[in-house]
Amino acid sequence: IELEHAPDREIDRQVDDRKNMERAIQTVPDERLRLLLEYRYFDQLSWEELAEKMNYSYQHVFRLHKQALKALQVAEQ
């Protein structure tokens, strides 16, 4: 019986993780940084796809991602 419920627990954990990520991303004040995080982590776009979709250079996407991660850290404090 325990093994039968293991997949359900894993799905529940993944749903909880996603909800936590969504809440954390919503704390980022800059909308474009939030969008970048959503594209990267929810839509799973590659860095190249992100750059194209957001009309930024590949290098600028990395700079923005770094800013977004810093914004998440500040929001946690």
Side-chain angles (χ1 to χ4, degrees):
I1 293 177
E2 185 67 26
L3 290 175
E4 290 176 11
H5 296 293
D8 292 336
R9 282 194 301 276
E10 178 61 21
I11 291 170
D12 290 343
R13 186 191 61 76
Q14 289 178 4
V15 168
D16 290 343
D17 288 348
R18 181 175 174 106
K19 287 179 184 176
N20 290 335
M21 286 177 62
E22 287 172 349
R23 279 193 290 270
I25 288 172
Q26 290 307 310
T27 66
V28 175
D30 187 324
E31 183 178 348
R32 70 192 169 126
L33 297 180
R34 284 195 311 269
L35 190 59
L36 184 145
L37 291 170
E38 290 171 2
Y39 285 156
R40 180 67 180 156
Y41 296 107
F42 295 140
D43 298 342
Q44 299 180 338
L45 296 184
S46 69
W47 296 112
E48 294 85 2
E49 292 168 326
L50 251 172
E52 185 176 325
K53 185 164 187 132
M54 296 185 78
N55 294 318
Y56 292 128
S57 71
Y58 183 78
Q59 294 84 4
H60 191 59
V61 167
F62 282 111
R63 286 191 293 271
L64 290 174
H65 184 256
K66 185 176 180 178
Q67 289 176 17
L69 294 180
K70 283 183 182 180
L72 281 173
Q73 290 174 352
V74 168
E76 287 181 354
Q77 296 176 1

